[in-house]
Amino acid sequence: MQRLKSISLQTKLSLMILGLLFTVLLILGLVFTSLYSTSVEEQMGERALNVAQSVAMMPAVINAMKSNYPSETIQPIAEDLRSKTGAEFIVVGDKDGIRVAHPLLDRIGKHMVGGDSQQALVEGKSYVSKAEGSLGSSLRGKTPIFDNGAIIGIVSVGFLTEDIQQKVDQFELKVMSLIGTILLLGLAGGFFIARNVKKSIFGLEPSEIGAMFLERNTILQTIREGIIAVDAKGEITLANQEAHRMLNRKVDENLEGEDIVSVLPNTRMPEVLLSGESEYDQEIIIGHNHVIVNRIPIIQKGEITGAVSSFRRKTEIEALSRELSQVQSYAKVLRSQTHEYANKLYTILGLIQLGAYDEAIELIHKEAIGYQEVVQLLVKAVPNPIISALLLGKYNRAHELHIQFLIDEESSMSDFPERMEQEKIVTIVGNLIDNAMDAVLEKQDEERVVHLFMTDIGRDLIFEIEDSGNGVHEEELEQIFERGVSNKEGQDRGIGLSLVKNALEYLGGYVTISTSRYGGAAFTVVIPKGEQTNV
């Protein structure tokens, strides 16, 4: 069994094709040989009976049988017909079964043997029989000789079964030769078929294909992206578990064979099948989810045979993006703080070395008090660790940029709904604070102010971010939240406020813009605490 498993697919296919062909041909050969043998016997028996009946109806034979010496007349006639018909023997007997004609003269006058003459001599029947005679086993045609209705003799014409078998053997030899020739052709054909099959599956063995199939299924079912594949007609051939979940279908529901448009009406898979062009990072809505979709056609030998679509919730991608952005931001803050505090430590060291102890103590006290006040305020007003961490990071960033980041002492954010997505709040508040910081960088250090007030009193969460920048011009109000729109120079601008807009739409909130007390812009965000709107 182990040796059989080690045989290559090409060899297995060749052997299987050859074995199947040999079995079919062998069965056909046996059937044809049996039919041929039966047909030859029937033909030879019918031939023998016809010759016997012809002899029995000859007037010369009938008259001779009524004479005293019938052998003198009948023997020459019988031998002449035997040589012309190819019969092994033509035997004529009287009504008692005594031979009056026989190929061997010494057997004339003796009883006919075989025991198969009674039906003709007694019942007057003509028939074909197979019996062992004096010349061996033969196929015989027997018929009575009548004279005015009375049986006066019998004619027996026979062909040896040995001769019949010889003809059958010759036929079998031809059949076997034909089978051998076809098997050789089948072997060559099987080899080419097996080679083409092996080539079409990229030279892989069945065990390798099985392993790859299991691996593929495991990978598709474990990844967190939805995967749907369709054929050239747009019918689904594969959909993983995550795709079922995002389509609000049962995980065990079979989507294969369904048209992709009936399952996902707003899909662009048919367009990809027609154009053969890939589409990346496209936004669509599936159910109640904003998703990012990639669509790639499957092309084999220059023809489009299908397409694959992968999609993932936009919120997950945004969360990962924000997390990465926050980590990068925190890393920058830590580097700047390390550099800043290193300078201050050297300053304190210098003051101590110069004996200016009071100045050193005052500098230490000033740094510790400012940071401690912010931490205490956040602990008291904002128990939520995610939002507190965000504001503390922004405070450090502002300190690095020499911006006064003021958190209103009357702020409170202790009634934060548990079901509300914290990432959305981080997106909104974080981007508005960053926007405010960018707005005040053009001012002198002492004029750079960003003020934050937040409250959760009532049915809404309210955040107000003010800055001392140049404000927002009236003509910019309508498009400031559009992606890519910004009055700042450089790449990757105009993204933050568009993310704020999307997050607010998701949470069912809104934002207003006015003039701040510091002369710049004031963004007021209102988010209801109730059920969020999922679009």
Side-chain angles (χ1 to χ4, degrees):
M1 183 62 69
Q2 187 65 30
R3 182 178 299 176
L4 183 60
K5 290 182 179 180
S6 64
I7 299 176
S8 68
L9 176 62
Q10 184 172 341
T11 303
K12 286 181 181 178
L13 285 176
S14 299
L15 292 176
M16 290 174 64
I17 292 173
L18 185 63
L20 177 62
L21 191 60
F22 175 77
T23 302
V24 172
L25 290 175
L26 181 61
I27 293 174
L28 289 177
L30 293 175
V31 171
F32 288 156
T33 300
S34 176
L35 293 175
Y36 179 77
S37 176
T38 302
S39 175
V40 168
E41 286 190 3
E42 290 178 353
Q43 290 177 6
M44 297 300 289
E46 185 177 354
R47 183 179 175 185
L49 186 58
N50 289 336
V51 173
Q53 290 175 338
S54 296
V55 173
M57 295 175 63
M58 288 182 177
V61 173
I62 296 173
N63 291 331
M65 290 299 295
K66 294 187 291 183
S67 67
N68 294 327
Y69 301 101
S71 297
E72 294 180 358
T73 303
I74 296 175
Q75 179 68 14
I77 295 174
E79 286 300 300
D80 181 58
L81 286 174
R82 186 174 70 85
S83 62
K84 290 179 179 180
T85 59
E88 188 65 28
F89 59 84
I90 296 179
V91 177
V92 180
D94 59 16
K95 61 180 180 180
D96 297 321
I98 304 298
R99 301 186 186 108
V100 296
H102 193 280
L104 300 177
L105 297 178
D106 59 341
R107 298 184 181 180
I108 295 175
K110 297 180 179 179
H111 278 281
M112 299 174 68
V113 298
D116 56 346
S117 300
Q118 294 302 311
Q119 287 181 317
L121 290 173
V122 177
E123 301 175 14
K125 294 181 178 180
S126 298
Y127 53 90
V128 177
S129 68
K130 184 184 290 186
E132 186 74 27
S134 60
L135 296 178
S137 179
S138 58
L139 188 66
R140 312 175 181 196
K142 290 183 175 288
T143 186
I145 302 173
F146 291 98
D147 180 35
N148 294 326
I151 299 173
I152 61 174
I154 183 174
V155 179
S156 177
V157 179
F159 295 91
L160 292 178
T161 55
E162 181 180 346
D163 296 337
I164 297 174
Q165 186 60 43
Q166 187 175 2
K167 290 184 178 182
V168 174
D169 291 342
Q170 291 176 352
F171 179 78
E172 287 182 350
L173 182 61
K174 292 179 180 179
V175 171
M176 295 307 294
S177 299
L178 181 61
I179 290 176
T181 302
I182 295 176
L183 284 177
L184 290 176
L185 294 175
L187 179 62
F191 173 79
F192 286 109
I193 292 174
R195 189 175 68 173
N196 288 333
V197 170
K198 190 73 176 290
K199 184 178 180 181
S200 66
I201 58 176
F202 305 101
L204 297 174
E205 294 295 325
S207 58
E208 296 173 331
I209 296 174
M212 290 180 64
F213 177 78
L214 293 175
E215 290 174 2
R216 187 205 68 164
N217 274 357
T218 303
I219 292 171
L220 288 176
Q221 300 306 334
T222 53
I223 60 178
R224 295 183 62 185
E225 287 192 5
I227 303 291
I228 292 181
V230 299
D231 58 18
K233 296 183 294 185
E235 294 180 354
I236 296 176
T237 58
L238 181 145
N240 69 347
Q241 293 180 0
E242 187 62 23
H244 281 78
R245 295 190 187 98
M246 295 180 70
L247 293 171
N248 293 324
R249 299 294 189 99
K250 295 180 179 179
V251 175
D252 57 352
E253 183 178 355
N254 187 13
L255 297 179
E256 294 183 8
E258 294 191 31
D259 188 82
I260 184 64
V261 177
S262 66
V263 176
L264 194 59
N266 58 342
T267 182
R268 283 185 48 81
M269 293 284 271
E271 287 79 359
V272 173
L273 290 173
L274 289 175
S275 66
E277 297 181 358
S278 302
E279 297 182 354
Y280 298 99
D281 300 329
Q282 302 291 313
E283 293 188 22
I284 66 170
I285 296 177
I286 298 179
H288 297 297
N289 299 301
H290 276 280
V291 298
I292 304 298
V293 182
N294 296 315
R295 308 179 187 94
I296 302 176
I298 302 173
I299 301 176
Q300 292 183 351
K301 298 181 180 179
E303 295 185 2
I304 301 173
T305 59
V308 177
S309 175
S310 65
F311 42 92
R312 190 167 187 176
R313 292 179 180 86
K314 185 179 178 181
T315 54
E316 296 179 0
I317 298 176
E318 289 178 348
L320 291 174
S321 178
R322 287 192 300 272
E323 184 177 348
L324 178 60
S325 177
Q326 292 296 333
V327 170
Q328 292 175 339
S329 176
Y330 294 154
K332 291 179 181 179
V333 170
L334 289 174
R335 285 196 296 269
S336 63
Q337 284 186 342
T338 300
H339 180 72
E340 182 179 356
Y341 280 106
N343 290 332
K344 290 178 180 180
L345 286 175
Y346 283 121
T347 302
I348 293 170
L349 177 62
L351 290 173
I352 294 174
Q353 289 176 341
L354 294 173
Y357 303 114
D358 293 337
E359 288 80 357
I361 293 173
E362 181 181 357
L363 180 59
I364 295 172
H365 183 73
K366 180 180 178 181
E367 289 296 326
I369 291 298
Y371 193 78
Q372 190 65 30
E373 287 178 351
V374 173
V375 172
Q376 290 178 354
L377 175 61
L378 291 177
V379 170
K380 177 183 177 182
V382 189
N384 187 290
I386 300 297
I387 299 177
S388 295
L390 169 70
L391 297 179
L392 187 59
K394 297 303 181 183
Y395 176 84
N396 291 328
R397 175 63 175 164
H399 192 66
E400 175 195 356
L401 297 174
H402 303 288
I403 298 173
Q404 297 181 59
F405 182 44
L406 307 175
I407 300 177
D408 198 296
E409 294 181 356
E410 300 297 324
S411 294
S412 173
M413 193 57 60
S414 58
D415 187 20
F416 190 88
E418 294 183 0
R419 62 180 174 276
M420 186 173 293
E421 296 187 20
Q422 300 178 14
E423 293 82 3
K424 297 296 183 184
I425 303 299
V426 170
T427 296
I428 296 168
V429 177
N431 280 291
L432 288 177
I433 293 175
D434 287 341
N435 190 67
M437 288 183 179
D438 289 340
V440 302
L441 288 178
E442 298 178 0
K443 300 292 184 178
Q444 298 295 325
D445 289 359
E446 62 274 8
E447 298 177 351
R448 296 177 180 178
V449 179
V450 174
H451 182 273
L452 169 66
F453 170 76
M454 50 191 170
T455 180
D456 56 3
I457 299 175
R459 298 181 178 180
D460 303 315
L461 302 180
I462 299 175
F463 299 88
E464 186 177 64
I465 297 94
E466 300 180 81
D467 63 65
S468 60
N470 296 324
V472 180
H473 299 294
E474 185 175 352
E475 60 271 13
E476 298 174 346
L477 291 177
E478 295 183 0
Q479 57 181 359
I480 192 173
F481 290 100
E482 298 298 324
R483 189 178 183 90
V485 175
S486 176
N487 56 10
K488 304 180 184 67
E489 298 181 355
Q491 297 180 347
D492 299 327
R493 292 292 186 177
I495 297 177
L497 292 182
S498 69
L499 293 176
V500 171
K501 176 184 176 183
N502 293 336
L504 282 172
E505 289 178 351
Y506 184 88
L507 297 174
Y510 63 91
V511 59
T512 61
I513 305 175
S514 59
T515 302
S516 77
R517 75 190 80 171
Y518 304 102
F523 288 78
T524 302
V525 174
V526 180
I527 302 172
K529 296 179 182 179
E531 293 292 335
Q532 60 195 46
T533 303
N534 216 355
V535 290

